[in-house]
Amino acid sequence: MTRSGENPRPAAETALVTLSIDGREVTVPEGETILAACTAADVETPTICWAPNLTPVNVCRVCVVELEGSRTLVPACSRPAEAGMQISTDSERVRHSRRMVLEFLGSANDLSQASEIADWSRTYGADPARYEGSADGGGDLPLRPEPERVDEPVRIQDDLYIRAYDRCVLCYKCVEACGDDAQHTFAIAVAGRGFDARIRTEYDAELPDSACVYCGNCVAVCPTGALQFRTEFDLRAVGEWRPDDQAVTRTVCSYCGVGCNLELHVQDERIVKVTSPADHSVTSGHLCIKGRFGWQYVHAPAFEPPTTSVTEH
Amino acid sequence: MADLHFSDAEPTASERRAVLAALSVDEASDGAVVVSHPRVVRAGMQRRKQMRHQLLPALHALQREAGWISPGGLNFVGRTLGVPPAEAYGVATFYEMFRTEAPAHELSVRHVCVDPICALAGAASLAEHLRSQGHAVHEGPCLGQCERAPAVFIQGRREPDRVPADGSGPDSLLVSVTASAPETPSLLRHMIGRDHGHSESMSMEAYRERGGGAALDAALSLGTDEVISQVTAAGLSGRGGAAFPTGIKWRAVADGEGPKHVVANIDESEPGTFKDRLLCELEPLAIIESIAVAGLTVGAEHGWIYIRGEYPLATQRLRYAIAQAHSAGWLGDDAAGSGQPFDIELRRGAGAYICGEETALFNSLEGFRGEPRNKPPFPTTHGLFGRPTVVNNPETLLNVNEILRIGPEAYRSVGTEGSPGTKLFCLSGHVGRPGLYEAPFGITLGELLGLAGGVQGTLAAVLLGGAAGSFVGPDAGELQLSLEDTRAAGTTLGSGPVMVFNDTADMSAVVERLAKFFRDESCGQCVPCRVGTVRQHELVTQIRRTGRSTEPQRELLGDIADAMGDASICGLGHTAASAVLSAMQLGLLGDTAS
Ligand SMILES: Cc1cc2nc3c(=O)[nH]c(=O)nc-3n(C[C@H](O)[C@H](O)[C@H](O)COP(=O)(O)O)c2cc1C
Ligand code: SF4
Ligand code: SF4
Ligand code: SF4
Ligand code: FES
Ligand code: FES
């Protein structure tokens, strides 16, 4: 679950604002979001496109709350908290919009590996089956057209990670991680418009031919499994992906002197995934190809990054 | 920013030339590109952004030259402007006018409008006919020529874009209720009855003879505070659809720190709307003057025109007007002798309704995808390039000229207390004389239809406000067309389209097309609108197919509408269900079953 608890501590002189969340007064530093105020008030807020280490894009709208005086609901994740705001997080309107966002996603995407979204969908009673054909067409009437879904083949173009965009909910996190928020490589962007919008390299070029430097930062932030490390993908394919059996060991990356914290996820004595804590002061959760994938030398005699695709930066 | 990575694809020589010409950049003998563009945007941005705002002009040049945005061409543009290829591709794929796959032909493309008014007028058979003649045809949304439906726009391949109806057909009909009385506001006064094919009437000299330039003189002698207080006293509200008070907007920007911008929003893509096109074609110097008035009043240095790509004649005339305004000293380092610098740059859109939304417009103009930004912050503090920005519809701006001409009291002599002044109405569909009508706010719908020669046949419904508006039934003749009365009646004037349908129109087809319009035009950024517009269209299609709606279907439509209205980012999502719901209430979508 995403939480805003990691937000930096306010400096002593930072001004504070007091607002009301579901009738409870909370005080947060000026510049904090409504989401942070909800967290401070112990109110859980669903989020999909928000992450503590990325700039809010406020596109998924699952975090919306009711703000007194506002015609529409407002996104908690990006709207700054202001003194005197009266916020409701559990009104009928809020629950309806959250349910519909989750239902819409469920009706369009394969969410089988998006466990958080599935949890929220249960909480809000989302029923994606409502959009499927037949029954309400009634008796002898023709079936409703099949609801359009995001239909994409799995893209397997290298040994490091796969892209299964039928799971992609277009949260923009990978684009942000690849671009201004971390990697500054800009290998991927949103292309197309409306329901046909997709995450793409230019002209859908294969990853090794694109600007991608295989830092894996996009994979680390993806909330749906649309981007997945090859190790996880292969283990899942044979039914051997067992997160509950994985031990996580913290270490410091030995490739250079920067001092990135690594979390090695180990299953059956093999490293199956490398992450970095989002609140780590050096990495903010982001790594380079060596930290992210260099562990393969532990298991294989020669570690070779996919040199065909790595460009000098 | 790290060095950018490009594929090996190279531009052709002609693609290179086309891009360099469009960017007004030169190529040194060693192949390096030297930027000599006269206007550097000084808004505290990085170099990347300074160059990037030329992305749309560069893509237009590629499309015209090669018929598509080729990988080599895209690489060249990306290198020249410092835009990563994945992002440039993301921008190119956002617009209706750009292709990213090689065309199978060398032809100019005929865009045929298939929105409701043109559909009534036989757009489908026109498209078929053009195809059978060997033309390349692209069927798309409203082209802003609804008064002369069915509409065609030709996107040129190695030739200028053009609209066949321009110059060939009869002039569009203009009617103004207020034009005969000099002490009342009338935007159309000097446009009616002029020979518009005659280029001399477009000269600065002729414009001055008609009283042009007076607004600029008045604005300079009155000064910022007095101009804004007159605009406020006149009760002017925005004519682009949202009806926001113009005085408040201008005050906020006038109080902001420079550099600042003024943007004329001429994206005009609301189905049923064509007024801005006619204003720009018929009195382009008045548009330029009004932008200068806005800029000098709020202390902006940069003026921009963002005009939809399907308006070649209006674009050409505005460009000519900008050149004349330069010669006359209205624009430049000492604009109109004000001591302030002010200049105007024109940008063409490329086919995307959403780019009329003000913050999407900013992103588009800056060379990013035309995705709306979350508000707040508002454009008055964080607008174009993050700077304080006035964005107005051209009809709004021309009203300021009128306020300065006759003063706020005379301005308020027409219209209602809550909606002073006149409104331009775009009449199309089954009326005797489709065209552009100027009438005081508060005129009844029946009177307006009467002015336009009455309804042809038996009235079935009127769509007010375009796709983002709502239907009213045949009994709405007494409805007063003011902001407050339409709001009270649960409908809207929007930007002024009035689309009339008689009982021969297949209304369920009209509604299905409107639902399709939103599905096609959603930018796709936020979930409620991206998926909601698709589900809405699927349901409407189903209801139409069966000829009746069931209770679960109506409930689902209502649920979708509530979520889009409440949780979407921008006005497109907020209004995407309103026409469908009103059609349902009026029984235009067939019977209701339980
Ligand atoms: C989807 C959408 C499309 C819009 N298109 C236009 C347009 O084409 N022209 C326009 O002036 N305003 C358009 N608007 C309204 C603008 O966002 C903005 O309110 C307007 O340009 C402000 O000018 P005004 O105050 O003079 O009306 C659109 C809004 C939305 C939500
Ligand atoms: S692996 Fe790194 S460089 Fe490659 S697409 Fe993902 S974030 Fe961008
Ligand atoms: S691939 Fe993953 S991170 Fe990227 S937009 Fe889709 S769901 Fe979000
Ligand atoms: S409401 Fe629709 S058009 Fe507006 S930002 Fe969301 S997806 Fe884009
Ligand atoms: S989490 Fe707030 S909009 Fe996605
Ligand atoms: S031009 Fe066809 S509906 Fe407007």
Side-chain angles (χ1 to χ4, degrees):
Chain A
M1 187 182 314
T2 45
R3 295 190 140 269
S4 61
E6 296 84 6
N7 280 308
R9 298 228 154 248
E13 66 273 18
T14 309
L16 300 173
V17 293
T18 300
L19 60 163
S20 155
I21 307 284
D22 298 333
R24 245 188 80 191
E25 302 246 299
V26 289
T27 300
V28 293
E30 192 169 23
E32 277 294 1
T33 60
I34 294 174
L35 176 64
C38 290
T39 306
D42 271 328
V43 170
E44 259 191 337
T45 310
T47 61
I48 297 173
C49 67
W50 177 89
N53 54 349
L54 300 173
T55 314
V57 286
N58 46 254
V59 296
C60 77
R61 317 303 280 185
V62 79
C63 69
V64 286
V65 295
E66 195 166 340
L67 165 63
E68 200 179 284
S70 168
R71 195 170 46 85
T72 57
L73 303 176
V74 303
C77 65
S78 61
R79 183 68 179 261
E82 288 166 36
M85 278 179 162
Q86 304 282 326
I87 307 282
S88 311
T89 71
D90 201 33
S91 65
E92 178 47 38
R93 277 174 75 190
V94 169
R95 271 183 279 119
H96 178 78
S97 280
R98 289 181 177 178
R99 172 174 72 120
M100 292 300 287
V101 163
L102 295 160
E103 206 167 272
F104 282 154
L105 291 179
S107 74
N109 292 107
D110 168 8
L111 297 179
S112 59
Q113 297 184 31
S115 56
E116 258 188 13
I117 299 179
D119 289 346
W120 289 119
S121 297
R122 266 188 299 279
T123 307
Y124 286 94
D127 175 19
R130 290 209 289 164
Y131 304 90
E132 275 154 29
S134 84
D136 4 326
D140 49 350
L141 298 170
L143 300 186
R144 184 182 299 161
E146 277 296 299
E148 188 179 351
R149 296 180 63 88
V150 177
D151 187 15
E152 292 274 333
V154 185
R155 286 169 169 73
I156 307 175
Q157 297 167 348
D158 52 69
D159 292 339
L160 301 185
Y161 72 96
I162 63 99
R163 298 177 294 156
Y165 287 130
D166 54 344
R167 299 180 202 145
C168 171
V169 296
L170 228 62
C171 71
Y172 288 57
K173 281 177 169 170
C174 54
V175 176
E176 293 214 294
C178 188
D180 284 319
D181 274 352
Q183 186 55 32
H184 289 89
T185 296
F186 304 94
I188 46 175
V190 181
R193 191 168 76 191
F195 196 82
D196 297 331
R198 297 286 188 274
I199 305 295
R200 287 286 185 263
T201 58
E202 63 277 13
Y203 302 93
D204 200 14
E206 301 225 334
L207 264 193
D209 300 329
S210 77
C212 177
V213 297
Y214 289 94
C215 63
N217 289 327
C218 53
V219 186
V221 295
C222 180
T224 62
L227 307 178
Q228 198 161 68
F229 294 115
R230 196 55 200 278
T231 37
E232 176 173 346
F233 180 78
D234 290 345
L235 285 168
R236 279 180 184 270
V238 294
E240 284 297 318
W241 179 252
R242 291 175 270 106
D244 291 345
D245 296 343
Q246 292 168 10
V248 179
T249 317
R250 274 211 187 200
T251 178
V252 174
C253 182
S254 57
Y255 274 102
C256 72
V258 170
C260 298
N261 266 17
L262 303 182
E263 295 166 328
L264 309 178
H265 301 241
V266 178
Q267 176 181 314
D268 300 336
E269 289 167 36
R270 290 179 70 90
I271 300 172
V272 291
K273 178 156 92 173
V274 175
T275 56
S276 183
D279 60 352
H280 178 44
S281 60
V282 176
T283 66
S284 296
H286 309 302
L287 294 171
C288 77
I289 183 173
K290 295 179 201 149
R292 184 81 68 189
F293 295 107
W295 48 269
Q296 294 189 338
Y297 78 95
V298 178
H299 306 303
F303 163 58
E304 274 187 59
T307 44
T308 48
S309 66
V310 176
T311 49
E312 294 303 320
H313 282 257
Chain B
M1 171 181 212
D3 289 342
L4 299 176
H5 172 281
F6 293 92
S7 73
D8 300 334
E10 291 291 338
T12 64
S14 66
E15 284 174 332
R16 266 180 107 89
R17 267 198 309 276
V19 169
L20 292 176
L23 300 184
S24 47
V25 295
D26 301 319
E27 201 167 15
S29 53
D30 60 356
V33 170
V34 183
V35 178
S36 61
H37 201 259
R39 281 174 50 81
V40 175
V41 180
R42 285 159 289 196
M45 306 160 293
Q46 315 91 326
R47 198 181 117 79
R48 177 158 82 96
K49 277 195 175 176
Q50 288 184 15
M51 306 277 286
R52 185 163 180 157
H53 69 91
Q54 300 192 69
L55 186 53
L56 268 190
L59 293 176
H60 268 301
L62 281 177
Q63 176 69 39
R64 172 173 306 173
E65 180 56 37
W68 69 307
I69 312 297
S70 71
L74 186 98
N75 280 350
F76 182 61
V77 168
R79 280 207 177 87
T80 308
L81 301 180
V83 182
E87 289 198 356
Y89 179 75
V91 171
T93 52
F94 194 81
Y95 298 97
E96 189 102 2
M97 289 173 74
F98 299 146
R99 306 261 76 86
T100 49
E101 278 163 25
H105 56 76
E106 294 265 313
L107 305 169
S108 295
V109 176
R110 277 156 172 78
H111 292 245
V112 176
C113 165
V114 295
D115 267 339
I117 299 301
C118 291
L120 292 182
S125 42
L126 174 64
E128 204 40 57
H129 172 71
L130 289 171
R131 273 199 191 96
S132 73
Q133 291 195 319
H135 292 299
V137 173
H138 177 85
E139 288 167 50
C142 178
L143 291 167
Q145 308 177 43
C146 330
E147 85 281 26
R148 52 190 191 194
V152 177
F153 156 73
I154 304 178
Q155 189 182 4
R157 174 80 182 273
R158 297 199 191 99
E159 64 169 1
D161 297 348
R162 70 197 157 86
V163 167
D166 286 341
S168 64
D171 281 349
S172 295
L173 180 71
L174 305 183
V175 174
S176 172
V177 172
T178 53
S180 56
E183 288 304 303
T184 55
S186 171
L187 308 191
L188 300 185
R189 190 186 317 269
H190 296 291
M191 303 181 201
I192 292 173
R194 245 170 55 216
D195 177 1
H196 300 293
H198 195 54
S199 64
E200 254 166 47
S201 76
M202 295 291 155
S203 72
M204 179 65 93
E205 211 176 16
Y207 179 58
R208 280 197 187 279
E209 271 168 29
R210 295 193 286 273
L216 196 49
D217 293 343
L220 289 176
S221 68
L222 292 174
T224 299
D225 292 344
E226 184 55 24
V227 170
I228 294 177
S229 83
Q230 287 202 8
V231 168
T232 307
L236 178 62
S237 63
R239 304 292 200 249
F244 188 81
T246 308
I248 294 180
K249 191 184 278 189
W250 285 28
R251 182 77 260 167
V253 174
D255 291 343
E257 286 287 310
K260 301 183 251 191
H261 301 270
V262 167
V263 181
N265 183 350
I266 318 183
D267 196 48
E268 188 165 70
S269 309
E270 185 67 55
T273 315
F274 47 84
K275 66 189 177 72
D276 300 340
R277 186 192 94 239
L278 286 168
L279 296 177
C280 295
E281 287 177 357
L282 302 183
E283 200 67 299
L285 273 165
I287 307 278
I288 303 303
E289 180 181 3
S290 70
I291 298 171
V293 165
L296 294 175
T297 299
V298 303
E301 294 148 308
H302 309 285
W304 302 84
I305 290 173
Y306 187 98
I307 184 165
R308 70 177 297 188
E310 296 88 344
Y311 281 178
L313 183 61
T315 301
Q316 184 197 329
R317 291 188 174 170
L318 285 169
R319 285 205 165 116
Y320 180 59
I322 291 173
Q324 291 192 82
H326 265 284
S327 309
W330 286 4
L331 303 174
D333 288 340
D334 175 18
S338 64
Q340 299 176 44
F342 186 73
D343 214 330
I344 299 177
E345 194 162 332
L346 180 145
R347 282 303 150 79
R348 293 175 63 210
Y353 168 63
I354 190 57
C355 289
E357 196 283 336
E358 53 197 13
T359 60
L361 186 158
F362 300 151
N363 279 342
S364 174
L365 206 156
E366 291 177 23
F368 292 85
R369 289 165 57 80
E371 294 172 350
R373 303 172 184 170
N374 209 55
K375 292 185 271 193
F378 293 98
T380 47
T381 57
H382 295 73
L384 189 60
F385 300 111
R387 305 303 313 172
T389 302
V390 164
V391 48
N392 275 129
N393 180 267
E395 182 187 347
T396 314
L397 293 170
L398 290 186
N399 270 287
V400 175
N401 287 5
E402 285 298 279
I403 293 166
L404 295 176
R405 186 177 67 80
I406 58 176
E409 268 148 54
Y411 182 86
R412 296 192 79 113
S413 68
V414 302
T416 67
E417 182 57 29
S419 320
T422 65
K423 179 76 195 84
L424 297 178
F425 295 100
C426 306
L427 273 286
S428 65
H430 291 134
V431 283
R433 294 187 293 273
L436 183 57
Y437 290 79
E438 178 174 34
F441 274 113
I443 186 174
T444 66
L445 179 57
E447 286 164 348
L448 184 63
L449 294 176
L451 270 183
V455 177
Q456 288 181 328
T458 307
L459 183 61
V462 176
L463 180 56
L464 291 176
S470 60
F471 287 98
V472 295
D475 56 351
E478 295 302 310
L479 175 66
Q480 291 201 5
L481 302 180
S482 69
L483 299 170
E484 59 279 13
D485 289 293
T486 49
R487 197 175 297 134
T491 180
T492 177
L493 291 180
S495 49
V498 178
M499 298 154 90
V500 182
F501 303 93
N502 69 18
D503 60 358
T504 66
D506 177 349
M507 290 312 294
S508 67
V510 170
V511 179
E512 185 185 338
R513 172 59 210 167
L514 294 174
K516 179 72 163 47
F517 174 82
F518 283 109
R519 175 183 185 150
D520 291 345
E521 298 298 329
S522 164
C523 82
Q525 193 184 193
C526 68
V527 176
C529 171
R530 177 176 76 237
V531 187
T533 54
V534 171
R535 297 292 173 255
Q536 172 175 268
H537 177 241
E538 288 166 350
L539 272 161
V540 169
T541 305
Q542 170 67 4
I543 290 170
R544 187 177 167 221
R545 209 175 283 172
T546 58
R548 62 175 214 198
S549 62
T550 64
E551 177 59 32
Q553 287 173 323
R554 290 194 296 275
E555 185 186 316
L556 205 43
L557 277 176
D559 282 355
I560 294 169
D562 287 346
M564 291 199 292
D566 244 358
S568 296
I569 293 178
C570 84
L572 188 148
H574 295 153
T575 58
S578 100
V580 171
L581 288 188
S582 66
M584 186 76 91
Q585 275 154 16
L586 290 172
L588 302 176
L589 252 181
D591 301 338
T592 50
S594 50

